[in-house]
Amino acid sequence: MSVRRSSVQQLLQSQELEREVVVKGWVRTRRGNKYVQFIALNDGSTIHNIQVVADAEKFPEETLKDVATGACLSVRGQLVASQGKGQAVEIQAIEIEVLGTADPEEYPLQKKGHSLEFLREIAHLRPRTNTFGAVLRVRHALAFAVHQYFNDHGFYYVHTPVITGSDAEGAGQMFRVTTLPPEHPPRTADGSVDYKEDFFGKQTNLTVSGQLEAEVAAMALGKVYTFGPTFRAENSNTARHLAEFWMIEPEVAFNDLQDNMDLAEDFLKSLVRQALEKCADDLQFLNDQYDKELLNRLRFVIDNDFQRLTYTEAVEILKVAKQKFEFPVDWGTDLQSEHERYLVEKHFKKPVILTDYPKDIKAFYMKLNDDDHTVRAMDVLFPGIGEIIGGSQREESLEKLRTRMEQMHVEEHELWWYLELRKFGTAPHAGFGLGFERLVLFVTGMANIRDVIPFPRFPKNAEF
Ligand code: 4AD
Ligand code: MG
């Protein structure tokens, strides 16, 4: 009977030695001498490689010529205690089959220490590096933890549309979705493009947020969340922005701003805790390789209460700050990332939740405070990241919502269904959006958001 394939992770943890095993994976390195060759094999199941030992008697050099960095192998051999240091077990090879060669003259991942910028240009191969293997495993663990958390807390997962007919939320510039021929679109009598002829009979776009549809679901299912791709066409070439990212948006009937903050804090702490638990080896690698403070920072976030204060209080602090800012701070203007990071990294030295922002710099749907100037908004600010979550209590009064929409030039006819939620059985409710890549950025300690998503989309880049 042929032996079934084991993963590298299973073999490295195995207590059952002196048995025949089969492992398949990609060669990271091959080294050795004329008596014995050592092959480091990785199959993605863990950051660690398994060492395959090939005796020269059995495997003369000409049979190993294709066993080069990047090649794919199937190895049958004896799992034994390792003689050398660095690993507990290794495989004494009996049979080595090269499933796929990789010409050393051409394979780009020859040596360690390629720059992250270079690796971005070979996004089809970078998952084979230790760094991206670790990042992708952490990303998976976090996505899984998101669903786990909500499922454990009685939330329902709702799928909100990717193609949207309303461009009213104002969360960002949108990508248009159309099947009209760009060179000669149908025109109306006055010469403008006739979108009635378009696929959906109207202008459509890629969604900038699933929130408005999540509110629909919350007004029936109570506690819901979305977790899906989100698109923003703003031309921001920063280390914190993507044109295509994933957003997690819980929405909860009967929650107020206080409940919303409690949920956001508990949720974030639980995600970081899960990552530390499930990805210990990967995070240790990232800590050692890129950011010696990473693990401390993650534990610190779990162990400490987030600092909560209002926008107005934050402005007071920033105005008397010793630090010189590039952008001035004035009540009524939006905080820049330098201000947010000052509050988090210098002043409070812990995550911060800012609330009650001026209404003019926030979205139309946020609940107006009694002062008539501020809204029940909240932004969660994280060290090294700035804003990781944006959310609010929602305006549940039909009349007040109408007034806000009029003031902010949001067309009622586009959001008639959203208004009807306030007309039929309205309820206080609140929710927020967590940028998934910003979370992965924080947890992995990577510096650029383009390095925490497999295929980043940003201005002038949609390769792969
Ligand atoms: O603050 P934002 O724009 O909030 C909303 O879209 C609300 N509808 C959320 C809600 O209340 N349901 O975006 C939420 C989060 C930000 O805090 C940030 O983490 C992330 O989404 N984000 C981005 N991440 C990567 N690239 C971009 N271009 C992002 N824009 C926002
Ligand atoms: Mg925001």
Side-chain angles (χ1 to χ4, degrees):
M1 207 186 82
S2 69
V3 182
R4 285 185 56 180
R5 179 172 74 92
S6 302
S7 71
V8 170
Q9 173 159 34
Q10 286 169 332
L11 296 180
L12 292 179
Q13 288 171 353
S14 177
Q15 307 292 330
E16 268 180 85
L17 302 183
E18 304 298 330
R19 64 184 168 111
E20 201 170 303
V21 298
V22 170
V23 66
K24 302 182 187 187
W26 292 268
V27 176
R28 285 296 173 81
T29 56
R30 173 156 79 93
R31 62 185 178 81
N33 50 42
K34 61 182 180 218
Y35 308 109
V36 63
Q37 289 285 308
F38 300 100
I39 304 159
L41 203 66
N42 188 282
D43 69 355
S45 57
T46 159
I47 191 154
H48 303 295
N49 305 323
I50 194 151
Q51 175 159 286
V52 176
V53 182
D55 280 330
E57 260 176 47
K58 197 176 220 132
F59 299 96
E61 184 55 33
E62 58 276 17
T63 68
L64 290 184
K65 69 180 189 335
D66 286 337
V67 179
T69 298
C72 185
L73 306 185
S74 174
V75 175
R76 186 166 65 82
Q78 195 75 4
L79 187 67
V80 297
S82 176
Q83 318 282 297
K85 53 180 195 307
Q87 64 277 321
V89 299
E90 62 191 19
I91 297 173
Q92 202 72 49
I94 297 168
E95 188 183 14
I96 296 176
E97 184 189 351
V98 178
L99 301 177
T101 59
D103 184 347
E105 299 286 301
E106 289 184 69
Y107 187 60
L109 290 176
Q110 285 303 334
K111 53 183 196 307
K112 285 184 183 171
H114 292 299
S115 75
L116 294 169
E117 288 77 15
F118 169 72
L119 291 175
R120 241 171 260 151
E121 290 167 19
I122 50 166
H124 61 307
L125 296 173
R126 68 177 182 170
R128 299 187 194 184
T129 62
N130 281 333
T131 298
F132 285 91
V135 167
L136 292 177
R137 280 184 296 270
V138 172
R139 187 180 164 103
H140 161 81
L142 286 169
F144 200 84
V146 166
H147 291 299
Q148 184 82 55
Y149 180 92
F150 286 130
N151 189 58
D152 289 350
H153 289 79
F155 286 67
Y156 298 107
Y157 178 29
V158 296
H159 296 103
T160 51
V162 169
I163 298 173
T164 167
S166 57
D167 64 356
E169 207 206 331
Q173 290 288 96
M174 303 185 95
F175 290 100
R176 184 157 295 166
V177 175
T178 179
T179 53
L180 294 180
E183 314 78 26
H184 44 83
R187 306 228 175 239
T188 58
D190 70 2
S192 54
V193 175
D194 186 3
Y195 288 102
K196 285 208 176 59
E197 296 289 312
D198 206 347
F199 189 92
F200 296 105
K202 62 189 286 196
Q203 279 192 45
T204 48
N205 300 287
L206 293 178
T207 186
V208 292
S209 155
Q211 178 198 325
L212 304 191
E213 290 91 351
E215 286 186 52
V216 169
M219 289 298 110
L221 296 168
K223 293 159 83 166
V224 303
Y225 70 104
T226 71
F227 185 176
T230 310
F231 306 87
R232 297 193 184 174
E234 59 228 313
N235 201 359
S236 25
N237 247 313
T238 80
R240 306 272 172 275
H241 289 85
L242 289 164
E244 177 180 299
F245 62 101
W246 287 66
M247 185 151 57
I248 299 141
E249 296 182 277
E251 194 68 37
V252 185
F254 317 116
N255 266 13
D256 63 13
L257 186 61
Q258 203 66 35
D259 303 321
N260 208 31
M261 287 192 278
D262 292 344
L263 176 64
E265 183 166 343
D266 188 57
F267 178 50
L268 284 170
K269 284 178 170 169
S270 143
L271 296 176
V272 173
R273 203 177 293 120
Q274 283 296 311
L276 280 169
E277 214 167 277
K278 298 277 155 51
C279 305
D281 290 356
D282 290 316
L283 292 177
Q284 187 67 54
F285 168 82
L286 293 167
N287 184 88
D288 298 345
Q289 202 73 19
Y290 291 100
D291 180 352
K292 300 276 188 289
E293 278 307 302
L294 176 62
L295 290 173
N296 286 340
R297 197 160 57 240
L298 298 181
R299 290 191 199 105
F300 182 85
V301 163
I302 297 173
D303 292 339
N304 290 278
D305 289 343
F306 296 3
Q307 183 73 40
R308 300 179 184 190
L309 70 160
T310 65
Y311 166 92
T312 304
E313 289 165 336
V315 167
E316 297 302 317
I317 292 171
L318 291 166
K319 278 194 154 160
V320 298
K322 295 255 163 25
Q323 182 164 325
K324 281 273 153 289
F325 295 117
E326 188 186 339
F327 295 93
V329 186
D330 254 320
W331 198 97
T333 58
D334 214 352
L335 298 183
Q336 301 295 321
S337 111
E338 56 172 344
H339 306 133
E340 298 176 340
R341 293 184 63 169
Y342 173 84
L343 292 168
V344 173
E345 291 159 26
K346 300 255 164 63
H347 191 83
F348 292 112
K349 298 194 167 59
K350 52 158 110 168
V352 167
I353 310 182
L354 289 188
T355 62
D356 302 285
Y357 282 73
K359 66 177 179 185
D360 294 335
I361 57 170
K362 288 293 183 186
F364 72 93
Y365 50 70
M366 296 190 179
K367 186 174 171 67
L368 197 59
N369 278 317
D370 292 338
D371 65 12
D372 214 35
H373 292 300
T374 58
V375 286
R376 277 178 209 167
M378 61 168 218
D379 276 8
V380 181
L381 314 178
F382 258 34
I385 305 290
E387 180 191 335
I388 195 163
I389 278 180
S392 73
Q393 189 172 338
R394 318 305 188 189
E395 185 56 76
E396 84 266 25
S397 146
L398 178 62
E399 201 188 324
K400 286 187 185 161
L401 185 59
R402 276 207 161 120
T403 310
R404 291 295 296 141
M405 286 171 71
E406 200 187 312
Q407 288 168 350
M408 302 189 79
H409 310 291
V410 179
E411 298 281 350
E412 274 196 27
H413 69 86
E414 278 198 44
L415 288 179
W416 61 273
W417 51 273
Y418 187 72
L419 283 162
E420 285 202 353
L421 296 179
R422 276 71 180 167
K423 195 166 153 192
F424 305 127
T426 193
H429 61 293
F432 59 80
L434 167 65
F436 185 56
E437 284 73 18
R438 293 203 185 165
L439 172 73
V440 183
L441 199 56
F442 176 72
V443 173
T444 59
M446 299 296 284
N448 194 314
I449 200 164
R450 296 170 188 181
D451 296 332
V452 299
I453 187 167
F455 303 104
R457 298 286 178 257
F458 51 91
K460 302 281 178 280
N461 189 290
E463 192 70 46
F464 307 102

